[in-house]
Amino acid sequence: MAKGERKAGAVPPAPADGAVDRIPGGDAPAGGFVQLLTPDGEHLGSVTTADGTTYSVDFTVEEYQGLYRDLVTVRRLDAEATALQRQGELGIWASLLGQEAAQVGSGRALRPQDMAFPTYREHGVLYCRGIDPIMPFGLFRGVDQGGWDANEHKFNGYTIVIGSQTLHATGYAMGVTMDGKTGSPDGEAVIAYFGDGATSQGEVNESFVWSGVFNAPIVFFCQNNQYAISEPLERQTRIPLYRRAAGYGFPGVRIDGNDVLASYAVTRQALDNARNGQGPTLIEAYTYRMGAHTSSDDPTRYRIASEVESWKAKDPIARVKAFLTKQKMADADFFAEVDESARKLALDLRERVLAMPDPQPVTMFDHVYPNGSPEIEAQRTAFAEYHASFEGSGH
Amino acid sequence: MAEKITLGKALNHGLRRALENDPKVVIMGEDVGKLGGVFRITDGLQKDFGEDRVIDTPLAEAGIVGTAVGLAIRGYRPVCEIQFDGFVFPAYNQIVAQVAKMFYRSKGKVRVPMVIRIPYGGGIGAVEHHSESPEAYFAHTPGLKVVSCSNPSDAYTMIQQAIASDDPVVFFEPKRRYWEKGEVDLDAPVSGAYPLHAARVARPGTDATLLAYGPMVRVALDAASAAGEDGRNLEVIDLRTLSPVDYPMIFESVRRTGRAVVVHEAPGNGGLGAELAARITEECFYSLEAPVLRVTGYDIPYPAARVEEEYLPDLDRLLDAVDRSFGW
Ligand SMILES: Cc1ncc(C[n+]2csc(CCOP(=O)(O)OP(=O)(O)O)c2C)c(N)n1
């Protein structure tokens, strides 16, 4: 397909000022977005945006199948976690249901050397980083606070205070430049994940300022799932989020966040630009949170069932399945096998989560300071002695 | 008419009354509208008072408090909700550097009569940042009034008094007590109610004084009951106001009992208990039979939920401290 030929998913000129550019009911936004795979499973080949950038993917059959497997697996693991929460085994769970394509597409676009800074919902990205999916469960079960090795996995800890991680990602990216690891195709890049609500935070805006000023090798990946708990997008912005990037001096692209191919292609391009020394990009993945904000939320108070229904028709997994089927890249056996292996992984996860023991209370004094502290040691000793005095009384 | 309602509902009634009585009162925060707040404290208020009086704000705490300052200068009485204790820090700069100093720097010309409501403290099995007790940071800042309610009746009146006050008030709500019920007289006029800036004897006693506030008042009362069975008659004082502290009432009590134990969930180091112990020692030295003791959270970040019961001061730790006080 020639450059600029297909207009279907391309980003047209910006809409008039003042429009939040969101059609209630979840229709495609008036501003358009980069889409490579339609909800019907039609592969658009490539897409060229208004600025002349062309996005495409050309995967092997195995790679397409692999993406499908990822999507199904992360959805299945997420469903298992939701079930575990309902059974009282997790204190809370932030589900990624509906956001699989945004996460798997961007997650698979990362190279091993790239560093990711997630929020609390990026279980799909975590999975794509090759990290044991058990990792976030300590936090949600309440036995620890996350606690994996961010440097080893190139995946920072989950961040709960909205927006804070975007500044950390920016600083990390500045460090990449200072280490001379940009300016080549093998350079390093950084990706920061956050939600539509987060874009209101001062810190997120500061991270845009800093990244622009220091030309940091960073991709800002905003999953616009339309809500910040109960508040719709209109409560955070009056222009489409991707357009904010222009004000900070770097490109912004909106993608169909339910399209794993668009998510992959645009993120890969943006990461490559970053590692080549071309600085930041803001990607707005236009998607939808199908479930509650977290297991403590009641979405019936603020959104209508028909909206959820209309987004079901854009399901990120169904369209890949339709594509694979139409192209005869996969058959019923393949789909059954993927479901089965995802089910096995989920059951394994369930068993391991149930087996996660409560921590020994005295361990709460661990890791307060890298080199310890005499005062904390004294408190630990007093605590242990106090508890020993209750021995046998169930304390 | 007295009714038995939860602390959360009492706050809701108090906010409703404030909205009714003063058209300048506005409520603002994340999810306070349709959802009624994550704890439903503002439930139904937007429906009845409209989106201009109960405002769902963008997700930005500095924005919530900073714009409230402007609204207050303009003559409104904003009541800001911070969703959880650990999320007040993006607004911290606005609160300590601006809210607290407006009146002072303007030589009394500019008032910012606003309330910053913060559900705080642990015991609900939450993840990081949802169980903290940051009151000392604010009590350390001159120009702010800092209060904490402990029961439905106080919640109902104190929130109205805080809103009516010309001082900026940081209002700490003990989130794990939101669901505890108590008698509230919903018709009682706020004028003439027990003053906001006064502590209250929650249980009179003669042998030692327990000082508590917010979520710990319940624990102190339980400890006093348990100690009563051992023949010890403990007085429990609910501080209610954390800055300024109602010292005269505390000194009177400690001079009478000769013993004081302070309890709070926040870490001990630099906490309110340290200040109380110092002041009591300065003022009541010759009446004291034992040093002022503290029972507090440890000097660690708030731990994972599955061990929080071991972190939080409980009946046993409090009674242990009482024993130590008597053993002096
Ligand atoms: C600073 C801060 N304020 C408030 C909260 C409470 N809170 C948790 S998630 C959330 C909504 C976040 O929305 P968004 O950024 O769109 O991300 P999403 O959860 O939709 O993925 C809020 C208000 C928080 N975690 N941090």
Side-chain angles (χ1 to χ4, degrees), chain A residues 111 113-114 173-190 214-218 270-280:
Chain A
R111 299 235 200 119
Q113 71 268 29
D114 297 337
M174 290 165 64
V176 169
T177 307
M178 281 144 72
D179 288 346
K181 295 292 171 66
T182 47
S184 92
D186 296 323
E188 292 179 33
V190 177
F214 294 100
N215 198 41
I218 186 167
L271 287 166
D272 280 345
N273 290 348
R275 75 180 95 250
N276 281 321
Q278 291 163 50

Side-chain angles (χ1 to χ4, degrees), chain B residues 55-202:
Chain B
I55 306 168
D56 266 331
T57 65
L59 206 180
E61 288 75 12
I64 294 168
V65 174
T67 57
V69 169
L71 279 162
I73 292 172
R74 179 76 196 175
Y76 286 86
R77 286 187 178 268
V79 183
C80 304
E81 175 173 300
I82 300 294
Q83 205 155 68
F84 278 91
D85 34 57
F87 307 143
V88 71
F89 298 106
Y92 190 65
N93 168 48
Q94 284 291 338
I95 299 173
V96 304
Q98 304 304 330
V99 174
K101 296 186 167 79
M102 282 285 165
F103 189 68
Y104 192 72
R105 76 161 65 98
S106 69
K107 295 201 169 75
K109 303 276 188 332
V110 175
R111 288 170 196 225
V112 283
M114 55 194 281
V115 177
I116 300 162
R117 297 180 35 237
I118 308 176
Y120 84 118
I124 64 160
V127 292
E128 246 200 316
H129 312 295
H130 291 73
S131 305
E132 298 176 8
S133 300
E135 63 272 16
Y137 295 116
F138 300 98
H140 189 65
T141 303
L144 299 174
K145 197 178 263 182
V146 183
V147 305
S148 179
C149 56
S150 71
N151 61 70
S153 177
D154 271 357
Y156 179 65
T157 43
M158 285 171 72
I159 189 65
Q160 294 181 68
Q161 292 168 319
I163 295 169
S165 165
D166 278 344
D167 302 319
V169 180
V170 183
F171 194 95
F172 282 103
E173 301 172 3
K175 71 169 89 80
R176 71 164 137 149
R177 307 293 176 212
Y178 273 149
W179 301 275
E180 286 185 12
K181 286 192 172 178
E183 292 278 331
V184 180
D185 184 354
L186 293 173
D187 299 327
V190 194
S191 58
Y194 198 78
L196 182 63
H197 50 79
R200 192 201 290 269
V201 175

